[in-house]
PDB file of all heavy atoms in Angstrom:
ATOM      1  N   ALA A 120      21.019 -26.126   4.420  1.00  0.00           N
ATOM      2  CA  ALA A 120      22.177 -25.946   3.530  1.00  0.00           C
ATOM      3  C   ALA A 120      21.704 -25.666   2.104  1.00  0.00           C
ATOM      4  O   ALA A 120      22.237 -24.795   1.402  1.00  0.00           O
ATOM      5  CB  ALA A 120      23.049 -27.192   3.565  1.00  0.00           C
ATOM      6  N   THR A 121      20.653 -26.365   1.688  1.00  0.00           N
ATOM      7  CA  THR A 121      20.097 -26.166   0.344  1.00  0.00           C
ATOM      8  C   THR A 121      19.451 -24.786   0.240  1.00  0.00           C
ATOM      9  O   THR A 121      19.574 -24.090  -0.776  1.00  0.00           O
ATOM     10  CB  THR A 121      19.051 -27.251   0.044  1.00  0.00           C
ATOM     11  OG1 THR A 121      19.619 -28.517   0.353  1.00  0.00           O
ATOM     12  CG2 THR A 121      18.619 -27.227  -1.396  1.00  0.00           C
ATOM     13  N   LEU A 122      18.770 -24.409   1.309  1.00  0.00           N
ATOM     14  CA  LEU A 122      18.137 -23.089   1.352  1.00  0.00           C
ATOM     15  C   LEU A 122      19.177 -21.987   1.128  1.00  0.00           C
ATOM     16  O   LEU A 122      18.954 -21.055   0.359  1.00  0.00           O
ATOM     17  CB  LEU A 122      17.457 -22.905   2.708  1.00  0.00           C
ATOM     18  CG  LEU A 122      17.022 -21.474   3.028  1.00  0.00           C
ATOM     19  CD1 LEU A 122      15.798 -21.110   2.214  1.00  0.00           C
ATOM     20  CD2 LEU A 122      16.735 -21.321   4.510  1.00  0.00           C
ATOM     21  N   ARG A 123      20.331 -22.117   1.792  1.00  0.00           N
ATOM     22  CA  ARG A 123      21.410 -21.115   1.652  1.00  0.00           C
ATOM     23  C   ARG A 123      21.857 -20.970   0.192  1.00  0.00           C
ATOM     24  O   ARG A 123      22.176 -19.885  -0.261  1.00  0.00           O
ATOM     25  CB  ARG A 123      22.637 -21.519   2.458  1.00  0.00           C
ATOM     26  CG  ARG A 123      22.529 -21.343   3.911  1.00  0.00           C
ATOM     27  CD  ARG A 123      22.585 -19.892   4.368  1.00  0.00           C
ATOM     28  NE  ARG A 123      22.100 -19.912   5.725  1.00  0.00           N
ATOM     29  CZ  ARG A 123      20.839 -19.735   6.079  1.00  0.00           C
ATOM     30  NH1 ARG A 123      19.929 -19.434   5.194  1.00  0.00           N
ATOM     31  NH2 ARG A 123      20.471 -19.815   7.326  1.00  0.00           N
ATOM     32  N   LYS A 124      21.898 -22.096  -0.508  1.00  0.00           N
ATOM     33  CA  LYS A 124      22.298 -22.047  -1.927  1.00  0.00           C
ATOM     34  C   LYS A 124      21.368 -21.116  -2.698  1.00  0.00           C
ATOM     35  O   LYS A 124      21.785 -20.395  -3.593  1.00  0.00           O
ATOM     36  CB  LYS A 124      22.216 -23.455  -2.540  1.00  0.00           C
ATOM     37  CG  LYS A 124      23.475 -24.275  -2.345  1.00  0.00           C
ATOM     38  CD  LYS A 124      23.307 -25.686  -2.864  1.00  0.00           C
ATOM     39  CE  LYS A 124      23.208 -25.777  -4.378  1.00  0.00           C
ATOM     40  NZ  LYS A 124      23.076 -27.179  -4.830  1.00  0.00           N
ATOM     41  N   VAL A 125      20.099 -21.147  -2.327  1.00  0.00           N
ATOM     42  CA  VAL A 125      19.108 -20.298  -3.010  1.00  0.00           C
ATOM     43  C   VAL A 125      19.246 -18.850  -2.558  1.00  0.00           C
ATOM     44  O   VAL A 125      19.419 -17.944  -3.372  1.00  0.00           O
ATOM     45  CB  VAL A 125      17.675 -20.812  -2.744  1.00  0.00           C
ATOM     46  CG1 VAL A 125      16.645 -19.843  -3.312  1.00  0.00           C
ATOM     47  CG2 VAL A 125      17.485 -22.199  -3.338  1.00  0.00           C
ATOM     48  N   THR A 126      19.189 -18.623  -1.223  1.00  0.00           N
ATOM     49  CA  THR A 126      19.135 -17.235  -0.732  1.00  0.00           C
ATOM     50  C   THR A 126      20.449 -16.487  -0.936  1.00  0.00           C
ATOM     51  O   THR A 126      20.456 -15.294  -1.173  1.00  0.00           O
ATOM     52  CB  THR A 126      18.736 -17.187   0.756  1.00  0.00           C
ATOM     53  OG1 THR A 126      19.642 -17.998   1.513  1.00  0.00           O
ATOM     54  CG2 THR A 126      17.321 -17.666   0.965  1.00  0.00           C
ATOM     55  N   ASP A 127      21.585 -17.203  -0.846  1.00  0.00           N
ATOM     56  CA  ASP A 127      22.873 -16.525  -0.996  1.00  0.00           C
ATOM     57  C   ASP A 127      23.348 -16.482  -2.441  1.00  0.00           C
ATOM     58  O   ASP A 127      24.387 -15.902  -2.742  1.00  0.00           O
ATOM     59  CB  ASP A 127      23.955 -17.220  -0.147  1.00  0.00           C
ATOM     60  CG  ASP A 127      23.640 -17.137   1.342  1.00  0.00           C
ATOM     61  OD1 ASP A 127      22.682 -16.429   1.702  1.00  0.00           O
ATOM     62  OD2 ASP A 127      24.345 -17.795   2.141  1.00  0.00           O
ATOM     63  N   GLY A 128      22.613 -17.128  -3.340  1.00  0.00           N
ATOM     64  CA  GLY A 128      23.062 -17.214  -4.733  1.00  0.00           C
ATOM     65  C   GLY A 128      22.323 -16.265  -5.660  1.00  0.00           C
ATOM     66  O   GLY A 128      21.558 -15.397  -5.222  1.00  0.00           O
ATOM     67  N   PRO A 129      22.539 -16.428  -6.962  1.00  0.00           N
ATOM     68  CA  PRO A 129      21.926 -15.533  -7.963  1.00  0.00           C
ATOM     69  C   PRO A 129      20.402 -15.568  -7.949  1.00  0.00           C
ATOM     70  O   PRO A 129      19.755 -14.554  -8.212  1.00  0.00           O
ATOM     71  CB  PRO A 129      22.472 -16.046  -9.299  1.00  0.00           C
ATOM     72  CG  PRO A 129      23.160 -17.334  -9.024  1.00  0.00           C
ATOM     73  CD  PRO A 129      23.465 -17.397  -7.575  1.00  0.00           C
ATOM     74  N   LEU A 130      19.822 -16.721  -7.613  1.00  0.00           N
ATOM     75  CA  LEU A 130      18.361 -16.816  -7.585  1.00  0.00           C
ATOM     76  C   LEU A 130      17.782 -15.932  -6.481  1.00  0.00           C
ATOM     77  O   LEU A 130      16.801 -15.206  -6.687  1.00  0.00           O
ATOM     78  CB  LEU A 130      17.931 -18.277  -7.398  1.00  0.00           C
ATOM     79  CG  LEU A 130      16.438 -18.592  -7.440  1.00  0.00           C
ATOM     80  CD1 LEU A 130      15.769 -18.018  -8.685  1.00  0.00           C
ATOM     81  CD2 LEU A 130      16.185 -20.093  -7.370  1.00  0.00           C
ATOM     82  N   GLY A 131      18.422 -15.955  -5.317  1.00  0.00           N
ATOM     83  CA  GLY A 131      17.990 -15.101  -4.201  1.00  0.00           C
ATOM     84  C   GLY A 131      18.078 -13.629  -4.556  1.00  0.00           C
ATOM     85  O   GLY A 131      17.161 -12.845  -4.297  1.00  0.00           O
ATOM     86  N   ALA A 132      19.179 -13.261  -5.209  1.00  0.00           N
ATOM     87  CA  ALA A 132      19.385 -11.854  -5.612  1.00  0.00           C
ATOM     88  C   ALA A 132      18.343 -11.431  -6.649  1.00  0.00           C
ATOM     89  O   ALA A 132      17.807 -10.313  -6.602  1.00  0.00           O
ATOM     90  CB  ALA A 132      20.791 -11.677  -6.172  1.00  0.00           C
TER      91      ALA A 132
END
Side-chain angles (χ1 to χ4, degrees):
T121 310
L122 167 74
R123 285 287 165 268
K124 273 175 69 179
V125 173
T126 55
D127 296 352
L130 184 52

